[in-house]
Amino acid sequence: MEFLEKLENGSTNIKRMGIVKALFVMFLSILLEVFGQVPVEITNLFSGNYEKIVPYVIFVFGVLVKYYVVIILIKWLSNESEDSNLSNYLNLTSFAYATFMIIGFRMIFDNSLNLWISTISMPQFINEVFNGDTVSPIISIFSTIVIAPIYEEIIFRGILLRGMARKISPNIALLVSALLFAVVHMNIAQGINAFFLGIVLGLIYLRSGSIYLSIFAHFINNLMALLVTSSFSSIAVKYPLEIHGIFLAIGMIFLAITCFGHNKNRSKNRLNIYKEFLKM
């Protein structure tokens, strides 16, 4: 994907944007996605004997819609320069730090706030979406750990956070982008998780300047959410408070060590917004 490479190397320059414009961009992306699904929903009414392939058709069409939403937004919100103004140096250490940062976050969140959030009932329309995903586990898993990280990172970190951080304080841009990321999930339970995850992913993006690294971190988070999050409750059957407390402490240690190590190892070549952020 050429547009992703251009976002990474800085040859696609996202224009400055304020909070109001960022809010408009988020709603526009949602509207474009909704309108893009209308033809699929119409054909779904006449699917007849093709019920088994309908989920796959919807999935493929949904991916295409997301692709063109990204293309439209980048064309509108960016200008291209011949020279790359961002030089990233990613190595195995960079990906290791991002991985451990996400592991630390998940251990902290899943053994603290998530214990309360899990008691909140989901809205009916969210449950219907989840029930629809169970029709094809392959689609559900691929959407969660591949499509969602790529699409959401481009929108919320590569476009919104990057654009806002060029006009307002990067700290405020980080919080606003995380809040918008939470709002787009349209329910309290997922929204709280998305807000704190958005802060972590935003930190990774601002510190590294790499959309590839934030996509990778998002992938690790979603993979852990599928494989690990539900297991914490089953592990803490006999001694729930003690077990959750241990995992919480381990997660905090993981996160503290990773942040400290990442500060020591981070690249010196960044856009000015990243340098400004690190000074604040």
Side-chain angles (χ1 to χ4, degrees), residues 18-204:
I19 295 175
V20 174
K21 186 174 182 179
L23 187 62
F24 175 75
V25 170
M26 184 195 74
F27 281 118
L28 178 61
S29 67
I30 295 173
L31 285 176
L32 289 173
E33 277 199 79
V34 171
F35 287 137
Q37 290 298 325
V38 170
V40 175
E41 294 302 323
I42 293 175
T43 56
N44 193 25
L45 295 175
F46 305 97
S47 58
N49 297 324
Y50 302 100
E51 293 181 359
K52 291 184 179 180
I53 66 170
V54 167
Y56 297 94
V57 173
I58 293 175
F59 168 72
V60 171
F61 196 84
V63 171
L64 289 175
V65 168
K66 286 180 170 59
Y67 174 80
Y68 284 106
V69 168
V70 167
I71 294 298
I72 291 170
L73 292 180
I74 289 179
K75 288 289 185 182
W76 172 41
L77 297 166
S78 70
N79 48 55
E80 294 191 5
S81 58
E82 295 182 359
D83 299 323
S84 172
N85 57 1
L86 174 61
S87 176
N88 291 315
Y89 176 68
L90 297 179
N91 53 25
L92 289 178
T93 304
S94 304
F95 289 97
Y97 280 130
T99 300
F100 288 125
M101 189 174 292
I102 293 297
I103 291 174
F105 162 73
R106 283 257 60 97
M107 292 181 73
I108 293 171
F109 187 85
D110 291 340
N111 291 282
S112 56
L113 280 175
N114 196 49
L115 302 178
W116 165 67
I117 292 173
S118 60
T119 63
I120 301 175
S121 58
M122 289 279 193
Q124 183 61 31
F125 72 94
I126 296 294
N127 287 326
E128 290 176 359
V129 171
F130 286 150
N131 292 334
D133 287 343
T134 59
V135 174
S136 175
I138 295 176
I139 291 177
S140 177
I141 293 172
F142 192 76
S143 297
T144 301
I145 66 175
V146 178
I147 302 301
I150 295 174
Y151 180 70
E152 292 174 356
E153 288 311 299
I154 291 173
I155 298 293
F156 290 95
R157 258 61 68 178
I159 295 177
L160 295 182
L161 175 55
R162 185 166 175 171
M164 285 190 291
R166 298 188 64 200
K167 185 172 184 178
I168 62 178
S169 163
N171 285 325
I172 296 176
L174 176 65
L175 291 174
V176 172
S177 64
L179 183 59
L180 295 179
F181 187 47
V183 170
V184 81
H185 285 77
M186 294 185 290
N187 68 90
I188 296 175
Q190 287 184 306
I192 295 174
N193 175 64
F195 175 74
F196 288 105
L197 174 62
I199 290 177
V200 175
L201 293 173
L203 283 171
I204 291 173

Side-chain angles (χ1 to χ4, degrees), residues 213-229:
L213 197 59
S214 66
I215 289 173
F216 173 78
H218 199 150
F219 159 78
I220 295 296
N221 174 81
N222 289 11
L223 184 64
M224 285 193 65
L226 283 176
L227 301 178
V228 179
T229 297

